[in-house]
Amino acid sequence: GQQVQQSPASLVLQEGENAELQCNFSTSLNSMQWFYQRPGGSLVSLFYNPSGTKHSGRLTSTTVIKERRSSLHISSSQTTDSGTYLCAFITGNTGKLIFGLGTTLQVQP
Amino acid sequence: DPKIIQKPKYLVAVTGSEKILICEQYLGHNAMYWYRQSAKKPLEFMFSYSYQKLMDNQTASSRFQPQSSKKNHLDLQITALKPDDSATYFCASSQEGGNNQAPLFGEGTRLSVL
């Protein structure tokens, strides 16, 4: 089965609403990463988060490593936030990332 | 300016042919990776290289061969192409290979095999 479960699979918001995206891991991990995938396909790293809470503008990532979960909070969503949000954990000592299927976010004006 | 350059951006190939996907990084990183994203599947790790040496290979098929001619290059040769190889191939790099590094990704090469 999937080692990384993301929920919800898709989400539609009105501009200005907040979003909470979840990521659960089926195995123990040392660190994880959140990515934004643009509609054109390119990947942008949002957070590298071994544990705890990190902030970047309207984005907040909270990771509880021992509970094998992470969340991404988007506040005051904008249409430009539309795209797919991917989480992944790093496994082994070769830098290999295991990805989830992602949450597809659509923010409507 | 993009620091990880993948060429070409789009590629169409016929079944049975061979193609090379190019990746160059100008970040001074020592570790480079290839990932593949097929429709309805998660991004999938393929290879990792560190200091031009293969560190990890999760690709069952020998039709996929990475080539590192220079420290900042990791090309991907794919032979005997099949329609199932259609996917977007992403190159990534990090300062060092390991579990405390956050890799950066290129823009991807979208391959369609007819």
Side-chain angles (χ1 to χ4, degrees):
Chain A
Q2 292 286 341
Q3 292 183 274
V4 182
Q5 300 282 352
Q6 290 193 245
S7 61
S10 62
L11 187 58
V12 179
L13 298 176
Q14 292 299 123
E15 201 166 24
E17 291 182 325
N18 299 333
E20 186 88 7
L21 281 54
Q22 302 291 339
C23 186
N24 290 281
F25 306 96
S26 64
T27 185
S28 59
L29 62 152
N30 292 318
S31 59
M32 60 80 59
Q33 202 165 351
W34 280 99
F35 293 88
Y36 168 66
Q37 187 165 31
R38 297 191 180 101
S42 61
L43 284 163
V44 177
S45 178
L46 297 175
F47 294 101
Y48 168 72
N49 195 346
S51 66
T53 298
K54 293 194 173 184
H55 303 277
S56 177
R58 295 180 293 104
L59 303 180
T60 301
S61 166
T62 301
T63 298
V64 184
I65 284 290
K66 60 183 179 182
E67 294 182 12
R68 304 177 185 178
R69 60 179 174 86
S70 182
S71 64
L72 180 68
H73 183 84
I74 305 172
S75 63
S76 304
S77 61
Q78 300 176 359
T79 57
T80 50
D81 295 331
S82 298
T84 301
Y85 291 81
L86 300 170
C87 66
F89 72 95
I90 300 172
T91 183
N93 58 3
T94 61
K96 172 179 158 184
L97 286 165
I98 305 290
F99 282 85
L101 278 167
T103 293
T104 301
L105 174 65
Q106 184 183 356
V107 182
Q108 296 177 337
Chain B
D1 290 336
K3 298 293 196 290
I4 302 178
I5 297 172
Q6 290 190 242
K7 293 184 285 193
K9 194 172 174 70
Y10 301 99
L11 188 54
V12 179
V14 296
T15 297
S17 66
E18 172 183 315
K19 293 292 180 188
I20 296 180
L21 281 54
I22 305 292
C23 178
E24 307 168 347
Q25 53 91 6
Y26 296 94
L27 295 160
H29 287 170
N30 297 308
M32 296 185 71
Y33 314 87
W34 277 101
Y35 286 81
R36 172 172 54 196
Q37 189 174 37
S38 307
K40 308 293 184 190
K41 291 185 181 178
L43 257 160
E44 175 189 20
F45 172 87
M46 298 180 74
F47 299 98
S48 70
Y49 268 64
S50 180
Y51 293 91
Q52 294 185 268
K53 295 262 192 290
L54 177 67
M55 299 301 290
D56 197 352
N57 176 0
Q58 294 293 313
T59 303
S61 173
S62 59
R63 295 187 299 107
F64 295 84
Q65 290 293 327
Q67 298 171 343
S68 181
S69 60
K70 298 180 190 177
K71 182 184 166 186
N72 67 327
H73 280 231
L74 187 65
D75 301 336
L76 182 64
Q77 180 187 41
I78 314 174
T79 58
L81 278 160
K82 302 178 180 180
D84 274 354
D85 297 332
S86 298
T88 301
Y89 291 82
F90 289 96
C91 175
S93 70
S94 60
Q95 185 61 48
E96 304 288 339
N99 63 13
N100 62 349
Q101 303 283 316
L104 295 175
F105 280 74
E107 304 259 313
T109 291
R110 188 170 294 180
L111 172 65
S112 296
V113 183
L114 307 177

